[in-house]
Amino acid sequence: MATPNYGYEKRQRELAKKKKKEEKLRAKASGKPHDDSDAPEAPTEQTPDSGQNAAPGGEGRG
């Protein structure tokens, strides 16, 4: 059985990280929003207790 080539695996991981970083920089420079799952979007102002159509109970029962 062949021994694992850890150096090769590490290099591939480094190249993947570098490629991803360059893609993010390119997207940022072009002004396009990058779909990144690490940064969730801020919720809009549509909360259930914003006062619209809410019953006095506070849960919107009607």
Side-chain angles (χ1 to χ4, degrees):
M1 187 171 158
T3 59
N5 189 348
Y6 295 113
Y8 176 78
E9 293 174 7
K10 182 178 180 182
R11 179 68 178 149
Q12 293 303 308
R13 286 192 305 270
E14 290 173 352
L15 288 173
K17 284 183 183 179
K18 185 177 180 181
K19 183 179 176 184
K20 187 174 181 180
K21 185 175 181 180
E22 288 176 354
E23 288 176 0
K24 282 186 176 182
L25 287 174
R26 216 174 291 125
K28 187 175 182 181
S30 66
K32 295 181 182 177
H34 189 349
D35 191 17
D36 194 4
S37 60
D38 293 340
E41 296 180 12
T44 57
E45 294 185 25
Q46 296 177 349
T47 57
D49 52 350
S50 63
Q52 297 177 343
N53 301 328
E59 294 184 25
R61 295 180 192 163

